């Protein structure tokens, strides 16, 4: 894309090195996505934890993997286990967005929906400076990481280091100080090597933050939102469609533990309650009979003892 800018801090890498880290793909028309977001209440609602809990499934156990401050949020649409395509979960919000995203993103990029392993909306606001992190696991080696900028500005960008961390790597090594800064405009879609240490910086400023000062090209809104897609060249092996209110526990490279919707399905939930009540009544009746037999046995033993005496 004409407006995508990549620059290096440190010795300038070769074009092959750059393409091993970031590869521009095309410019997508993201207006339909933005209009859909606006109709759903805008980004403030879409990333609000209460809204997500009421309209989506929830993943717990990933708090230590987020590597971000409070100015970064994500809303999951598709997720997988650490083994990637072996087991993929479609979240309720994706089911609502599916047709629109397939038409405006997946089809133009020629990505089959059945090959998508993960998908999320990632948002950062002013003064978000995420730590460098490397994605790990089988799913990383199996997939391509795609970024589609939906909302951005000139002070928000992705950073990537030019080499992986190793047990002997020191943060102040010359090679580790070599960083690419990727500035992509709205719709400028690119593939990124997320196995390398990468981070997000949003230094956006509002005019109210600097009274009396003028900045060139001052941004009106400081948020940055990307649609992030991880897709495999082979179809997923197992798919689970989650319901609103489902809670899944992420346990690293192992399969997630989900209630898979029985609590959120009124019919199944009511049936489960009825079964529990009936089971309780039966157990209570059995316990009562058992107590009566114990009392009878005790009385008989007392009578025998009296006769002996």
């Amino acid at each position: 894309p004409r407006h995508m800018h990549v620059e290096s801090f440190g010795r300038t890498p070769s074009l092959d090195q750059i393409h091993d880290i970031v590869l521009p793909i095309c410019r997508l028309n993201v207006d339909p996505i933005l209009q859909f977001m606006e109709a759903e209440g805008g980004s403030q609602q879409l990333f609000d934890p209460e809204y997500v809990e009421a309209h989506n499934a929830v993943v717990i156990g990933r708090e230590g993997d987020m590597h971000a401050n409070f100015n970064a949020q994500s809303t999951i649409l598709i997720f997988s286990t650490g083994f990637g395509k072996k087991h993929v979960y479609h979240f309720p919000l994706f089911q609502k967005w599916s047709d629109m995203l397939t038409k405006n993103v997946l089809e133009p990029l020629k990505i089959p929906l059945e090959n998508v392993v993960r998908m999320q909306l990632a948002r950062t606001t002013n003064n978000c400076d995420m730590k460098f992190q490397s994605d790990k696991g089988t799913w990383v080696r199996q997939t391509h990481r795609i970024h589609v900028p939906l909302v951005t500005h000139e002070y928000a960008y992705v950073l990537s280091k030019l080499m992986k961390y190793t047990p002997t790597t020191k943060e102040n090594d010359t090679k580790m100080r070599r960083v690419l800064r990727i500035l992509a405009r709205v719709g400028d879609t690119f593939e990124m090597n997320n196995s390398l240490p990468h981070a997000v910086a949003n230094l956006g400023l509002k005019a109210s933050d600097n009274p009396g000062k003028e900045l060139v090209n001052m941004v009106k809104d400081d948020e940055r939102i990307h649609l992030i897609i991880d897709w495999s060249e082979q179809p997923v092996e197992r798919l689970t469609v989650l319901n609103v209110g489902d809670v899944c526990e992420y346990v690293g490279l192992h399969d997630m533990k989900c209630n898979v919707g029985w609590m959120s399905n009124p019919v199944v939930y009511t049936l489960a309650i009825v079964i529990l009540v009936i089971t309780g009544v039966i157990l209570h009746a059995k316990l009562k009979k058992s107590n009566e037999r114990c009392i009878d046995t005790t009385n008989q033993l007392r009578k025998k003892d009296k006769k002996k005496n």
Side-chain angles (χ1 to χ4, degrees):
R2 290 178 303 167
H3 298 286
M4 184 172 179
H5 181 65
V6 178
E7 63 180 356
S8 172
F9 296 91
R11 191 177 65 187
T12 304
S14 67
L15 187 60
D16 288 340
Q17 284 180 306
I18 292 176
H19 285 172
D20 284 340
I21 299 171
V22 57
L23 183 65
I25 298 176
C26 67
R27 169 168 291 179
L28 290 177
N29 177 16
V30 299
D31 287 345
I33 306 174
L34 297 176
Q35 292 168 6
F36 195 92
M37 288 175 56
E38 192 64 30
E40 292 297 307
S43 61
Q44 293 292 335
Q45 177 167 282
L46 187 60
F47 292 94
D48 180 73
E50 293 184 1
Y51 173 83
V52 173
E53 186 175 351
H55 295 82
N56 209 17
V58 177
V59 176
I60 59 175
R62 297 185 67 233
E63 292 79 8
D65 295 334
M66 300 310 291
H67 301 281
N69 61 23
F70 62 90
N71 287 337
Q73 304 92 30
S74 67
T75 296
I76 298 175
L77 302 177
I78 298 176
F79 198 65
S80 73
T81 65
F83 290 107
K85 63 186 181 65
K86 284 192 175 182
H87 196 173
V88 171
Y89 301 80
H90 281 192
F91 279 57
L93 280 180
F94 174 73
Q95 297 163 44
K96 192 173 185 178
W97 289 50
S98 176
D99 291 343
M100 183 271 297
L101 290 177
T102 298
K103 178 181 178 181
N104 295 285
V105 178
L106 298 182
E107 289 181 354
L109 295 178
K110 301 187 184 305
I111 299 175
L113 174 57
E114 57 269 23
N115 290 36
V116 176
V117 171
R118 295 188 179 190
M119 183 186 292
Q120 64 175 306
L121 290 163
R123 176 178 183 255
T124 62
T125 55
N126 189 20
N127 294 327
C128 177
D129 190 9
M130 296 176 65
K131 297 178 181 178
F132 278 94
Q133 57 124 352
S134 304
D135 291 328
K136 300 177 178 66
T138 304
W139 72 273
V140 178
R141 296 190 296 272
Q142 291 177 347
T143 59
H144 300 270
R145 164 65 58 91
I146 305 296
H147 277 252
V148 183
L150 303 178
V151 178
T152 190
H153 55 80
E154 61 185 306
Y155 303 112
Y157 39 81
V158 178
L159 300 172
S160 178
K161 297 197 175 184
L162 275 65
M163 64 176 290
K164 296 182 180 181
Y165 289 117
T166 67
T168 59
T169 297
K170 295 181 180 180
E171 189 63 32
N172 61 354
D173 283 352
T174 302
K175 289 183 179 179
M176 290 310 298
R177 293 202 301 267
R178 296 173 62 191
V179 175
L180 279 186
R181 184 169 70 173
I182 304 163
L183 176 62
R185 304 300 184 188
V186 171
D188 285 351
T189 303
F190 60 93
E191 180 175 344
M192 181 178 174
N193 185 349
N194 56 317
S195 69
L196 295 174
H198 58 278
V200 174
N202 185 347
L203 308 180
L205 301 173
K206 292 183 177 179
S208 59
D209 295 330
N210 289 269
K213 294 183 179 181
E214 293 184 2
L215 294 181
V216 179
N217 298 324
M218 173 63 73
V219 294
K220 181 180 180 181
D221 197 342
D222 62 5
E223 73 177 358
R224 170 261 197 200
I225 301 174
H226 280 204
L227 174 67
I228 301 175
I229 305 168
D230 297 290
W231 68 281
S232 170
E233 294 180 7
Q234 293 82 34
V236 301
E237 298 175 12
R238 180 183 174 191
L239 173 64
T240 295
V241 178
L242 299 175
N243 296 313
V244 173
D246 283 344
V247 177
C248 296
E249 181 183 3
Y250 183 72
V251 285
L253 298 180
H254 302 286
D255 209 353
M256 289 203 299
K257 300 175 182 177
C258 296
N259 57 10
V260 197
W262 74 271
M263 287 288 290
S264 60
N265 188 314
V267 176
V268 177
Y269 179 78
T270 303
L271 181 60
I273 294 298
V274 171
I275 292 173
L276 288 174
V277 171
I278 294 174
T279 303
V281 171
I282 294 173
L283 290 175
H284 178 74
K286 288 184 177 181
L287 182 61
K288 185 177 180 180
K289 287 183 179 180
S290 177
N291 288 337
E292 290 175 350
R293 285 197 297 269
C294 287
I295 293 172
D296 290 341
T297 302
T298 302
N299 290 336
Q300 290 175 6
L301 291 173
R302 285 177 179 175
K303 288 179 180 179
K304 288 182 179 180
D305 288 340
K306 285 182 179 180
K307 287 180 181 179
K308 289 180 181 180
N309 292 334

